Amino acid sequence: PFTMDFVHQMLLSRFQPHRFVTAGFLHGSLLHLLFNMRYLWTTPKWLEEGLGWPLYFSTYLVSIVAGNLAHSYVNSSGASAIILSLGASGGICGLQGLSWIALRRMGNKSASSSVFTNMLWLILFGAMTEGISNAGHIGGFIGGALIGWLFGPQYGSSYAMKRKWSTAVDTETQEYRSMMGFGLEPQRGKLKLWYLWAFAAIAFLGIPELRSIPLCVWLGFTRPGSLSGMRMNPIPPT
C-alpha cells in the first residue's frame, strides 16, 4: 500500500501529481536500488561541486518529472496506460544531460561524446530488457539538458588563466578544471536558477491539484493505501 501511494501511474498521477516526483525515490527491488545508487556514485564530482548543488538538485528533480511525463506520453493508451513507473533513472539520466550540455559549452568534445555514447548504450540496453522505460530515460536526459541549457553556466575565455605564470587564484576544483581546461572560466547562464523555482511556486499556488501535494504526501505516510484505494479497514471483533 505504501508504494502504491507514491508510484507513478498515468491515470493516478493526473489527479495526484505528487507521484511524478515521489516515484523517483522508489525502487522495485534491492537490485534496482543498488544499480541506480552505483550509477549515482560514479557521477563525476565536478557536476555537483563545480556547477553547484542547487543546479544539481534542481536538475535531478526536474528530470524525474520529465522522465515520468515522457513515460506517460509514450504509454498513454491501451493496456500500457496502467503500467507503473518507479525509480531514479530519469533523474540520473537528467544529470547526464546536464553534464553533456556543460561539456559541450566547455568545448570538451571528447568527454561530451562519451556521455552521449553512454546514453545510447543505456537506451540499447533498455530496448533489449523487459520492464525498463526508455521513454523515462530519454525524457530525463532531455529534461536535464534543457535545465543545463537554460540555467547552467556558460564558459568564456579568461586572460589571467591563459598566462603561464599567472598569479590569479584558481577557485575551481581540480576535477572541474580538468574538464574545462586552462583559459576558461564559468560565467552566468542564460537565466538565473531562482526563475525556475519562482515559476514552480506560481504553478503550485495557481493549480489546485498541485496545492494538494503536501496533503497527499502526508496521507501516504500516515495512512498507507488511502490514496490508491488499497487501505484495508480492520474487521471489528465479534
Side-chain angles (χ1 to χ4, degrees):
F2 177 84
T3 299
M4 288 301 298
D5 281 351
F6 294 108
V7 72
H8 169 62
Q9 194 269 340
M10 188 188 72
L11 298 177
L12 291 175
S13 296
R14 185 176 300 174
F15 302 100
Q16 298 173 355
H18 70 280
R19 296 172 181 271
F20 284 108
V21 177
T22 57
F25 297 90
L26 299 174
H27 290 80
S29 66
L30 180 60
L31 182 62
H32 187 197
L33 175 64
L34 291 176
F35 184 83
N36 279 340
M37 290 303 99
R38 179 187 177 278
Y39 215 113
L40 270 178
W41 183 261
T42 58
T43 300
K45 290 183 179 179
W46 68 264
L47 201 59
E48 179 181 0
E49 296 175 352
L51 302 186
W53 74 263
L55 180 62
Y56 183 95
F57 181 67
S58 300
T59 301
Y60 186 77
L61 289 183
V62 170
S63 299
I64 287 174
V65 175
N68 284 324
L69 286 172
H71 174 85
S72 293
Y73 179 79
V74 171
N75 300 283
S76 60
S77 61
S80 60
I82 63 173
I83 293 177
L84 303 179
S85 175
L86 72 170
S89 300
I92 293 171
C93 290
L95 295 178
Q96 298 302 305
L98 173 65
S99 172
W100 181 67
I101 286 292
L103 291 168
R104 285 185 61 84
R105 283 182 170 173
M106 294 174 193
N108 193 333
K109 295 181 179 179
S110 175
S112 65
S113 296
S114 177
V115 170
F116 196 76
T117 300
N118 288 338
M119 273 301 304
L120 293 179
W121 279 113
L122 180 61
I123 293 170
L124 179 62
F125 175 75
M128 297 187 300
T129 307
E130 186 178 357
I132 293 180
S133 174
N134 262 339
H137 293 164
I138 296 171
F141 183 86
I142 293 174
L146 182 61
I147 293 298
W149 184 71
L150 289 174
F151 304 102
Q154 304 195 69
Y155 297 88
S157 298
S158 170
Y159 175 73
M161 292 306 302
K162 283 182 177 180
R163 295 170 57 191
K164 184 176 181 181
W165 304 108
S166 173
T167 58
V169 177
D170 189 1
T171 59
E172 309 302 339
T173 64
Q174 183 177 359
E175 187 178 357
Y176 193 28
R177 174 56 63 191
S178 69
M179 291 292 105
M180 285 190 291
F182 285 98
L184 287 182
E185 63 179 359
Q187 300 175 348
R188 195 177 74 177
K190 295 179 181 294
L191 297 173
K192 294 182 179 180
L193 186 61
W194 70 263
Y195 289 176
L196 172 66
W197 290 103
F199 175 79
I202 293 172
F204 179 82
L205 294 174
I207 301 176
E209 289 81 5
L210 296 184
R211 292 202 301 270
S212 70
I213 287 178
L215 176 60
C216 287
V217 172
W218 171 258
L219 289 175
F221 276 102
T222 58
R223 299 182 62 193
S226 59
L227 299 175
S228 56
M230 296 184 65
R231 182 177 175 86
M232 301 297 292
N233 294 322
I235 300 175
T238 58

